């Protein structure tokens, strides 16, 4: 283990970010502080609350609020989570999921999603699904209507088509524009003419946004379930499948302990079975936040050399979200680069962002 990695710093999101978010309900667990949902509710990635900056919609919307209203109406946690993430899949301005998700290197959008019911111990998933806007709902159908857990590619598409899901073009004019820009900026030796001199390359090309949406739900009576949906890493090799549809990595839920999910570099998460690791850490008594940090420590300790910077830290970010069977919740990220370490929460106190724990400070 490198010295740098040993010298970890455990920080919370910036003071400015913390001040901006509603103050959580705090509980001490084993000497640590944990936050607890105020009645049925859910947590998720930051994009599960409010449109992203620059979103042309005037009114705000919140996937965690929608999921919580379904929980209050008596829907199961897994169904509530799917209703929530569907809102983002349908949003053409959300570039990390469903319609408008950034495509693979050939300009084709391939979607991954999973769902898990922590009460029934059942799960469903789809991977590399093309032309279907709502992969989380299709994953739910895999769970409910088949004897299988994961359908991929052409088989997943045929399954969705048979169920009546319409086939649509998932590439929006904006996501096509960003893809073409990325292709033109790839290298001086290929046959695509790059940006004109002095032209700007958009930040989405320089560092593709992480945009997966995860929601974990708790019904106030000890039942949990979740959903994770994504268009995966932008410009990926066609057929690449990330962590989101891998049960135990991008999502895991068990009423006996809790529910967890992830966003960020999927390959690194799969290698530590992140969501399962977090749920098992909660089972042995760790708070959700501490369980997320433990999984992140494994990611950073095991990270291959080529993915470390000069100081030995990972070059990528990864975020975890977790809630336990008692409704306590937390989140942690390696750096909190995206959304300033915020995550989304909704319960009796309404939808909001809160600040998660951060493993490494960016200022070295
Ligand atoms: N976790 C996703 C994947 O690796 C990417 C993301 O969160 O943006 O497919």
């Amino acid at each position: 283990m490198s010295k740098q990695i040993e010298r970890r710093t455990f920080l919370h999101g910036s003071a400015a970010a913390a001040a901006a978010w509603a103050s959580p309900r705090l509980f001490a667990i084993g000497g640590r502080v944990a936050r607890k949902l105020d009645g049925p509710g859910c947590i998720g990635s930051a994009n599960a609350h409010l449109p992203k900056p620059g979103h042309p919609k005037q009114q705000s919307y919140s996937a965690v609020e929608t999921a919580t209203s379904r929980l209050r109406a008596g829907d199961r946690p897994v169904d509530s989570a799917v209703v929530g993430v569907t809102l983002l899949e349908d949003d053409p301005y959300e570039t990390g999921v469903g319609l408008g998700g950034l495509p693979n290197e050939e300009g084709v959008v391939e979607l991954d999603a999973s769902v898990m019911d922590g009460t029934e111990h059942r799960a469903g998933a789809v991977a590399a699904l093309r032309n279907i806007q709502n992969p989380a709902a299709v994953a739910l159908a895999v769970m409910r209507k088949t004897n299988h857990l994961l359908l991929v590619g052409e088989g997943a598409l045929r399954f969705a088509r048979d169920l009546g899901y319409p086939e649509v073009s998932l590439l929006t004019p904006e996501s096509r524009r960003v893809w073409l820009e990325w292709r033109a900026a790839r290298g001086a030796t290929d046959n695509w003419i790059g940006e004109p001199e002095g032209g700007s390359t958009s930040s989405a090309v320089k560092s593709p946004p992480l945009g997966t949406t995860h929601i974990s739900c708790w019904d106030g009576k000890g039942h949990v379930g979740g959903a994770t949906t994504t268009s995966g890493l932008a410009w990926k090799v066609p057929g690449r499948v990330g962590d989101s549809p891998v049960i135990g990595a991008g999502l895991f839920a068990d009423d006996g302990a809790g529910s967890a999910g992830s966003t960020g570099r999927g390959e690194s998460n799969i290698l530590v079975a992140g969501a399962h690791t977090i749920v098992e850490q909660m089972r042995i008594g760790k708070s959700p936040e501490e369980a997320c940090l433990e999984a992140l420590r494994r990611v950073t300790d095991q990270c291959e050399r080529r993915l470390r910077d000069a100081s030995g830290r990972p070059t990528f970010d990864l975020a975890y979200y977790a809630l336990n069977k008692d409704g306590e919740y937390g989140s942690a990220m390696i750096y909190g680069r995206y959304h300033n370490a915020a995550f989304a929460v909704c319960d009796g106190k309404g939808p909001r962002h809160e600040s998660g724990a951060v493993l490494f400070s960016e200022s070295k």
Side-chain angles (χ1 to χ4, degrees), residues 96 112 208-213 228-234 236 240-245 262-267 269 318:
D112 299 338
L210 296 180
T212 298
T213 302
T228 303
T229 182
T230 192
S231 50
L233 295 180
K236 62 193 173 185
R240 178 264 186 187
V241 171
D243 56 333
S244 306
S262 71
T263 62
R265 188 173 188 278
E267 284 77 1
N269 181 36
L318 191 58

Side-chain angles (χ1 to χ4, degrees), residues 116-199:
M116 187 155 182
D117 183 322
T119 311
E120 291 191 339
H121 297 284
R122 292 176 75 194
V126 290
L129 175 63
R130 299 179 173 194
N131 298 340
I132 301 290
Q133 193 164 310
N134 298 123
V138 180
L140 193 64
V142 171
M143 180 179 95
R144 294 250 164 84
K145 295 180 191 296
T146 77
N147 219 358
H148 308 309
L149 193 150
L150 171 62
L151 297 181
V152 306
E154 179 62 24
L157 173 59
R158 279 162 50 187
F159 174 75
R161 208 187 271 145
D162 288 351
L163 291 181
Y165 285 91
E167 280 189 73
V168 294
S169 168
L170 298 172
L171 206 58
T172 59
E174 176 59 12
S175 58
R176 180 189 298 279
R177 188 192 64 72
V178 179
W179 168 64
L180 288 172
E181 206 183 312
W182 167 78
R183 195 173 65 172
R186 258 189 316 183
T189 53
D190 65 25
N191 291 315
W192 296 98
I193 296 171
E195 281 284 305
E197 214 178 321

